[in-house]
Amino acid sequence: MDRNKTAVLARITGKVQGVSFRMWARAEAMKLGLTGWVRNEKDGSVKALIAGPEEAVSTMLKRLRQGPPGASVSGVVSEKADPDEWPETFSITG
């Protein structure tokens, strides 16, 4: 693994479902050259695995705190992740 590459698992809460959050997150991640996935959770939150260069991951976490128009993000909690396999793309799941 590249020393500059990192991964985080983030949980985003607030009004984040039904506002195109996953499509927006995928587009933002792709602009930053990140890989991973984003998905809706049953509790109304959104979860995302974000992988790539540390600076780009940090920028993505800042963007997640803002969210797309129509969203109202109340919190973003992230933790270091060590994926079994590093994703090759950024996808929307679940």
Side-chain angles (χ1 to χ4, degrees):
M1 178 181 81
D2 184 339
R3 285 184 328 160
N4 188 41
K5 193 170 184 180
T6 190
V8 297
L9 191 58
R11 181 174 175 265
I12 306 98
T13 56
K15 182 182 175 191
V16 292
Q17 289 191 17
V19 293
S20 299
F21 197 98
R22 293 175 299 159
M23 289 184 288
W24 171 85
R26 182 176 180 267
E28 293 299 310
M30 291 177 73
K31 287 178 196 174
L32 293 168
L34 297 168
T35 62
W37 50 260
V38 61
R39 69 178 182 221
N40 284 340
E41 296 292 303
K42 291 181 181 181
D43 65 2
S45 67
V46 169
K47 191 172 274 189
L49 174 68
I50 304 161
E54 289 182 29
E55 187 174 324
V57 170
S58 179
T59 298
M60 185 64 183
L61 288 172
K62 290 176 189 170
R63 291 182 185 179
L64 289 174
R65 288 181 181 91
Q66 297 299 311
S72 179
V73 177
S74 60
V76 176
V77 176
S78 63
E79 61 186 49
K80 284 270 192 193
D82 190 16
D84 292 334
E85 292 183 29
W86 288 82
E88 293 183 23
T89 62
F90 198 95
S91 60
I92 296 172
T93 63

